[in-house]
């Protein structure tokens, strides 16, 4: 696809420039393949060709104006078009200077052949690259807290993380998805205390998670009236830390109950972690961290607590509290070392909300101060918060909690009604499956379509719309492709379009669609580089827009055989890209809806 064409063009261009330019430039970085590959642009307007070479830095080097140089290069390349084998193989059709650019146009046939060959040979790996081969990414995402229902905030940490994970895999990386479960802290002492006191008032057998949550709320209500309860809870937590078997058993039960509940949501959202490494996992790795920091001379005492000073621009990083309790940061330091040294991470990604920015800055800084070179390979992939339409911030505290489960349930319910109206003939099981795929897909897409650093406004109408910038809209376009493909197969003894049409697709809509589909691999690459799934989501919307124009302006089925076949090949290509692209966002693409 585009990456390959870009690479081959850069090689060709590099060779030709070395011949064309005065010898003193032939070793210059400006004419190296790597550099050229980097600077070749994809013009916005198709009339400017498929790739454009900006000559500005070259011109500066040669102390000449860009336009004459562009003209010289374009003229040279154009002269090669009929005779030169490399140019022929590339399918180069036209080289033209426009200002300081050399615009390159490739033959329609060459491009469509490349596109269809890529799709034919993709085997579920359309647009993949080997850039990350041999390298390992450890990505921390979702990472909810024990005994708390996942809420809309966790939604972002979950879907953004899973999408980045999927996209990283397309770039050839080995990826380990880590669940840094919030399973340790004094709150579990409180909860265990509450369980021992009031546990039998709740239906732990039939509604374990609800009971756990109710118990949590009950404890906090009671503790508000009687602060002594907090002290009781702290004592129980001490026992837990000292390895009290009875308390540990209760704690373990809390963890298991939570994981069972969270798993239901992960299944719905297509989330797959490889490892659960909760905060408790690091319990016996904390002392070594302290010792190390001590040895490096980084620890100082401050009001009885141990801290690492961070200089003027950040508050000190708390390593151990005055009562001896360890902290969130200490666990993250231990965890980073574990990810690097034991899991072999080349890159550590943390998909966590913007509210933890300072925390990660401190953790990474401590690692750096401790002499870990690789600290610079740790990245906080931050995201903004959800807001209601009226601008209210969502919070987990009392009252205005929005549980993820409720959001998904509601999305599925609302979609069910739409699906039922549209497809009364489908069986209940089919409708339920489609409503689930579309409802959940809508929520995921509605999140991922925005730049992650921005706050997101939660708006049902937008999220569930079958038109415009929503998940169902993309799924619906995919359904259209599938329906055309079914009809085509019916006509052709069950055979799909062959994907090697002889006709050159010269209509504007056809050419635009080809060009867009052709760039899918670079979209994946760009999405990965910025850790920005919204690049992929926005691209899918663009594909839908162009496909929809193509579909409205051109007859597809029922045209002369040659035209029909080529247009159906394009439909099949669109279907493949939409299907694959949605899958990378962990969204399913139903065949009917
Ligand atoms: N459990 C934390 C929370 O809900 C998120 C954990 C993120 N990962 C980490 N390594 N700190 O806020």
């Amino acid at each position: 696809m585009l990456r390959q064409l870009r690479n081959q063009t850069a090689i060709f261009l590099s060779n030709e420039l070395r011949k064309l330019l005065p010898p003193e430039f032939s070793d210059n970085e400006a004419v190296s393949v790597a550099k050229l590959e980097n600077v070749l642009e994809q013009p916005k307007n198709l009339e400017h060709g498929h790739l454009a070479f900006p000559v500005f830095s070259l011109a500066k080097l040669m102390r000449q104006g860009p336009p004459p140089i562009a003209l010289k290069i374009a003229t040279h390349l154009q002269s090669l078009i009929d005779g030169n084998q490399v140019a022929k193989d590339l399918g180069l059709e036209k080289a033209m200077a426009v200002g300081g650019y050399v615009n390159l146009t490739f033959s329609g046939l060459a491009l469509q052949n490349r596109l269809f060959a890529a799709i034919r040979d993709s085997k579920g790996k359309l647009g993949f690259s080997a850039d990350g081969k041999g390298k390992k990414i450890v990505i921390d995402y979702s990472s909810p807290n024990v005994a708390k229902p996942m809420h809309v905030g966790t939604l972002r940490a979950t879907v953004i993380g899973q999408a980045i994970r999927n996209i990283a895999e397309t770039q050839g990386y080995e990826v380990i998805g880590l669940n840094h479960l919030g399973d340790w802290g004094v709150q579990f002492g409180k909860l265990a205390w509450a369980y021992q006191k009031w546990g039998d008032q709740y239906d732990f057998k039939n509604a374990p998670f609800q009971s756990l949550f109710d118990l949590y709320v009950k404890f906090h209500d009671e503790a508000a009236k009687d602060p002594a309860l907090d002290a009781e809870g702290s004592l129980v937590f001490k026992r837990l830390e000292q390895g009290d078997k009875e308390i540990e058993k209760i704690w373990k039960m809390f963890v298991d109950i939570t994981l069972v509940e969270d798993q239901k949501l992960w299944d719905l959202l297509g989330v797959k972690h490889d490892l659960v490494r909760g905060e408790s996992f690091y319990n016996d790795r904390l002392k070594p961290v302290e010792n190390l920091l001590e040895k490096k001379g980084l620890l100082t005492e401050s009001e009885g607590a141990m801290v690492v000073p961070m200089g003027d621009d950040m508050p000190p990083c708390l390593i151990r509290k005055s009562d001896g309790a360890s902290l969130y940061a200490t666990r993250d330091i231990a965890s980073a070392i574990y990810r690097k040294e034991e899991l072999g991470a080349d890159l550590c990604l943390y998909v966590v909300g913007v509210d933890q920015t300072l925390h990660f800055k401190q953790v990474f800084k401590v690692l750096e101060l401790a002499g870990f070179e690789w600290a610079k390979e740790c990245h906080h992939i931050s995201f903004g918060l959800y807001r209601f339409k009226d601008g209210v911030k969502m919070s987990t505290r009392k009252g205005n909690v929005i549980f993820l489960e409720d959001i998904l349930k509601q999305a599925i319910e609302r979609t069910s009604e739409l699906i039922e109206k549209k497809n009364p003939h489908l069986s209940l099981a089919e409708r339920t499956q489609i409503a689930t795929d579309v409802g959940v897909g809508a929520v995921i897409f509605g999140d991922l379509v925005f730049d992650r650093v921005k706050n997101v406004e939660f708006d049902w109408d937008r999220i569930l719309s079958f038109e415009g910038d929503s998940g169902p809209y993309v799924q619906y376009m995919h359904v259209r492709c599938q329906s055309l493909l079914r009809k085509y197969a019916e006509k052709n003894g069950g055979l799909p379009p062959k994907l090697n049409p002889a006709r050159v697709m010269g209509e504007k809509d056809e050419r635009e669609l080809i060009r867009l589909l052709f760039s899918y691999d670079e979209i994946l690459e760009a999405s990965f580089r910025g850790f920005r799934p919204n690049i992929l989501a926005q691209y899918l919307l663009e594909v839908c827009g162009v496909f929809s124009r193509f579909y409205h302006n051109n007859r597809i089925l029922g045209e002369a055989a040659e035209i029909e076949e080529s247009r159906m090949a394009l439909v099949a290509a669109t279907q493949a890209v939409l299907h694959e692209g949605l899958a990378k966002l962990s969204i399913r693409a139903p065949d009917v809806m």
Side-chain angles (χ1 to χ4, degrees), residues 459-572:
D459 177 356
W460 281 116
D461 296 337
R462 178 184 63 77
I463 284 185
L464 291 181
S465 166
F466 275 49
E467 275 149 48
D469 61 355
S470 73
Y473 169 65
V474 180
Q475 288 170 317
Y476 187 58
M477 283 299 155
H478 175 264
V479 162
R480 283 207 164 166
C481 294
Q482 289 295 47
S483 135
L484 283 164
L485 287 163
R486 270 197 307 276
K487 286 188 191 135
Y488 179 87
E490 272 164 32
K491 273 177 50 175
N492 290 280
L495 292 176
K498 281 202 288 295
L499 296 189
N500 59 350
R503 169 178 167 261
V504 180
M505 286 182 254
E507 302 291 335
K508 187 162 180 283
D509 298 320
E510 295 173 328
R511 286 189 300 136
E512 284 201 346
L513 190 52
I514 290 173
R515 182 175 76 137
L516 196 56
L517 297 174
F518 191 63
S519 64
Y520 173 63
D521 59 346
E522 292 207 347
I523 293 295
L524 287 178
E525 186 191 358
S527 267
F528 172 72
R529 289 221 171 140
F531 306 122
R532 290 172 61 198
N534 67 308
I535 294 181
L536 176 56
Q538 292 287 353
Y539 165 82
L540 294 177
L541 290 173
E542 206 182 330
V543 169
C544 289
V546 176
F547 175 75
S548 151
R549 258 203 320 272
F550 160 74
Y551 176 92
H552 281 292
N553 296 344
N554 301 278
R555 201 149 92 178
I556 300 174
L557 289 173
E559 270 288 359
E562 206 192 38
I563 300 182
E564 181 184 271
E565 195 184 61
S566 63
R567 291 198 175 142
M568 281 309 299
L570 204 43
V571 172

Side-chain angles (χ1 to χ4, degrees), residues 226-273:
D226 178 6
L229 298 198
D230 281 327
E232 297 274 2
S234 302
L235 280 179
V236 177
F237 181 58
K238 268 246 153 63
R239 280 170 61 197
L240 178 60
E241 286 205 295
Q242 284 156 1
D244 183 311
K245 286 285 167 266
E246 195 189 328
I247 306 297
E248 195 177 293
K249 213 172 126 200
I250 297 173
W251 166 79
K252 180 81 173 61
M253 179 189 75
F254 295 161
V255 173
D256 292 343
I257 290 175
T258 307
L259 283 176
V260 167
E261 192 69 14
D262 290 348
Q263 191 61 47
K264 291 184 205 156
L265 298 179
W266 286 324
D267 287 346
L268 265 182
L269 292 167
V271 169
K272 288 189 186 68
H273 286 113

Side-chain angles (χ1 to χ4, degrees), residues 140 143-145 180-182 279 328 332 339 350 352 356 359-360:
D140 172 335
S143 303
N145 295 325
H180 190 84
L181 189 70
E279 293 186 35
Y328 186 50
D332 256 322
R339 292 169 202 210
Y350 298 79
V352 186
Q356 295 193 25
H359 164 73
F360 284 108

Side-chain angles (χ1 to χ4, degrees), residues 330-478:
T330 323
R331 290 172 194 279
D332 256 322
I333 295 166
S335 174
I337 296 173
Y338 168 76
R339 292 169 202 210
K340 175 68 193 176
E341 293 183 351
E342 288 175 61
L343 298 181
D346 294 293
L347 201 61
C348 288
L349 306 179
Y350 298 79
V351 185
V352 186
V354 64
D355 46 338
Q356 295 193 25
T357 302
L358 176 63
H359 164 73
F360 284 108
K361 270 195 180 154
Q362 290 177 318
V363 166
F364 300 160
K365 184 77 189 170
V366 171
L367 290 168
E368 187 196 311
L369 291 173
F372 294 115
E373 266 282 319
W374 47 263
K376 58 181 187 305
E377 301 301 343
C378 296
H379 302 278
H380 174 203
I381 312 298
S382 145
F383 53 81
L385 307 172
Y386 261 111
R387 279 164 203 283
F388 291 121
K389 225 176 166 182
D390 55 11
V392 181
K393 197 174 128 189
M394 291 197 186
S395 100
T396 32
R397 298 261 166 274
K398 308 244 167 80
N400 58 341
V401 198
I402 298 208
F403 296 153
L404 180 51
E405 188 189 357
D406 294 335
I407 291 189
L408 295 177
K409 255 198 198 141
Q410 245 198 81
I412 295 169
E413 260 163 40
R414 290 186 188 215
T415 320
S416 292
E417 291 161 21
L418 295 173
I419 302 288
E420 198 176 329
K421 257 190 233 142
K422 282 181 180 265
N423 300 282
H425 58 283
L426 290 177
S427 74
L428 180 64
E430 282 171 314
R431 279 204 314 258
T432 309
Q433 182 62 51
I434 297 169
T436 306
D437 292 347
V438 176
V440 173
V443 172
I444 299 178
F445 196 90
D447 186 315
L448 295 180
V449 75
F450 290 109
D451 198 342
R452 62 178 160 76
V453 300
K454 302 220 173 88
N455 292 333
V456 177
E457 191 178 89
F458 199 82
D459 177 356
W460 281 116
D461 296 337
R462 178 184 63 77
I463 284 185
L464 291 181
S465 166
F466 275 49
E467 275 149 48
D469 61 355
S470 73
Y473 169 65
V474 180
Q475 288 170 317
Y476 187 58
M477 283 299 155
H478 175 264

